[in-house]
Amino acid sequence: MTLETQPPPTASSPVHATWVHPGPLARAALPLTWLVTRAGMLVLLALDGRAPLGAGGIAHEVFALYARWSTSLAHGTFPAGDPMWQYPPGAGPVLLAPGLVPGLTYFQAFVALTLVTDALVTLALARAGTLTGRSAAGAWLWTAALPLLLHIPLARYDVEVTAFAVCALLVMARFPRTGGVLAACGALVKVWPALTLLGTPRGRSSREAWTAALASGAAILLVLAVAFRSPFAFLREQGGRGVQIESLGGTALTLARRAGWPGQVRYRFGAMEYVGPHVGVVAAASLVLTAGAAALLLLWRVQAWHWTPATPFDAALCAVLLFTVTSRVISPQYLIWLVGLAAVCLTSRHTTQRPVAVLVVAAAGLSALAYPVLYADVEAGTWTGCLLMLARNGLLLGGAVVSFGSLWKGTKE
């Protein structure tokens, strides 16, 4: 990281504070912190399932589920008929890649590729922080906040998805077509990176980004449809999702359960979900709220007239937060997305989302307590688990409200 310098004061000029190049220790602080924290995450991954980490099986999703899918993908077929397969076609190449790394098991290669991607995100954020009007705070937030999720980021492919979104946002201003292509790639892997296009300023750059995203997305989708069988099988399984216990609706049902509601928790579609009377109503309400969030974002887009360099970053974080809190599912790895987008916001000194970034970091810490540390309490609906989810989801809901209010106000002034 380098900082801009000013000429030293002369005897005839007043003395002003000047920026100086950081010394070797300061330059090494970020990479050293990254190495130490990631080593700690690797240790936790090796201890998966042991006390005091709580619920085990985090790594199982990689070496059992992802590896099984990789075998199917290697034979040219998406895992059609598997209720756990709920991801767009672009997830196929990402999950297939570790199986192509020579000399390593699937699990080892998956973790190694995730760490490489993590390092690239850190480097991109650090590089962005050296530009005029930017800040190194984003790189530091990503480096320091991701370990709050313990070893979960190393055992899910959401770091790779977040990398597409982060890089799309960081290059969009100078290279809108490249940003559009990256957003499309991310959207084909896990949909939500498409929201990085929401805040592109009106005019030529916005048209270029959207056109590039649509054209490249269609081309990649065509290639995947030709290369693999059953590319759209995920739609059937995704539609069957219920109300996960960690979602906002799940928290409401947990409180109802404490008050005597007879619903139960069942393992369905790869998550612990509520089943019982009125669950369908809660699920429908979540969909209505999601539609309402989309309408609010569309209204903002139409009404906004003042753009700053940070507006595309702020809009992306706000949109993902709104869709997260209104979703029927809030898995702990969703916080990886939010941490990454908050980090991008903090690379700009113009961002309106600093308070939101604080709330996201706090929510990430509580998410790790909820899963895996105290997941038995969350699943059983004890008061400890109930209050923990109230606090975590309250932070996310508060963050969404503050985020939208700040975005709206910042683009009206």
Side-chain angles (χ1 to χ4, degrees):
M1 180 182 71
T2 59
L3 296 173
E4 297 180 342
T5 60
Q6 298 177 355
T10 64
S12 59
S13 65
V15 176
H16 297 285
T18 60
W19 290 102
V20 297
H21 288 286
L25 186 59
R27 289 197 300 270
L30 183 65
L32 284 175
T33 302
W34 187 91
L35 287 170
V36 170
T37 53
R38 274 46 182 184
M41 292 167 70
L42 284 170
V43 170
L44 292 177
L45 187 62
L47 299 175
D48 183 38
R50 303 181 189 178
L53 292 180
I58 292 176
H60 180 80
E61 187 148 332
V62 177
F63 63 73
L65 188 61
Y66 291 180
R68 186 177 78 234
W69 288 344
S70 178
T71 301
S72 176
L73 291 163
H75 288 87
T77 303
F78 283 97
D82 187 339
M84 303 283 283
W85 178 255
Q86 302 155 10
Y87 308 110
V94 174
L95 295 174
L96 180 60
L100 305 178
V101 177
L104 297 177
T105 66
Y106 184 90
F107 180 78
Q108 292 168 339
F110 182 91
V111 174
L113 290 175
T114 301
L115 284 170
V116 169
T117 306
D118 176 14
L120 290 175
V121 171
T122 307
L123 181 62
L125 291 167
R127 176 69 183 88
T130 66
L131 303 176
T132 303
R134 297 295 189 92
S135 167
W140 277 105
L141 184 137
W142 173 261
T143 301
L146 197 66
L148 293 177
L149 292 166
L150 305 179
H151 51 303
I152 291 173
L154 299 182
R156 300 292 185 271
Y157 76 96
D158 294 87
V159 170
E160 287 84 345
V161 180
T162 303
F164 280 115
V166 168
C167 292
L169 287 168
L170 292 178
V171 305
M172 196 82 72
R174 293 184 63 192
F175 308 104
R177 291 189 181 91
T178 303
V181 171
L182 289 170
C185 291
L188 287 173
V189 176
K190 219 168 190 182
V191 181
W192 69 266
L195 295 171
T196 57
L197 296 166
L198 178 69
T200 51
R202 297 189 186 97
R204 179 180 176 181
S205 62
S206 184
R207 289 192 298 272
E208 289 180 348
W210 280 92
T211 301
L214 291 172
S216 60
I220 296 170
L221 191 58
L222 179 62
V223 170
L224 291 172
V226 171
F228 297 92
R229 293 183 293 276
S230 305
F232 303 107
F234 76 100
L235 293 172
R236 180 174 60 254
E237 308 304 339
Q238 187 63 243
R241 296 300 295 266
V243 179
Q244 187 207 31
I245 62 175
E246 296 169 69
S247 67
L248 210 64
T251 301
L253 290 174
T254 300
L255 288 171
R257 192 180 176 190
R258 298 293 310 180
W261 175 67
Q264 299 294 322
V265 175
R266 295 285 185 271
Y267 185 75
R268 301 171 68 244
F269 300 98
M272 303 305 296
E273 297 182 351
Y274 274 115
V275 295
H278 313 302
V279 172
V281 175
V282 175
S286 295
L287 293 175
V288 171
L289 289 173
T290 298
L296 277 178
L297 292 168
L298 179 60
L299 178 64
W300 166 80
R301 175 76 192 190
V302 171
Q303 294 289 325
W305 64 272
H306 175 70
W307 257 258
T308 73
T311 300
F313 307 163
D314 296 351
L317 175 60
C318 178
V320 175
L321 254 175
L322 284 171
F323 282 116
T324 296
V325 297
T326 59
S327 174
R328 293 170 293 171
V329 179
I330 306 181
S331 297
Q333 58 265 30
Y334 290 15
L335 273 295
I336 300 171
W337 316 344
L338 298 175
V339 168
L341 294 175
V344 174
C345 290
L346 292 192
T347 62
S348 175
R349 300 184 188 276
H350 300 278
T351 185
T352 63
Q353 303 293 303
R354 290 186 185 87
V356 181
V358 174
L359 295 175
V360 165
V361 170
L366 288 181
S367 289
L369 280 179
Y371 182 85
V373 178
L374 297 175
Y375 197 63
D377 287 281
V378 174
E379 186 177 343
T382 67
W383 276 117
T384 298
C386 186
L387 293 175
L388 179 57
M389 295 315 305
L390 269 175
R392 198 283 301 271
N393 289 338
L395 287 170
L396 290 178
L397 180 60
V401 172
V402 172
S403 180
F404 185 77
S406 300
L407 180 66
W408 183 277
K409 181 179 178 183
T411 52
K412 284 289 188 179
E413 294 177 350

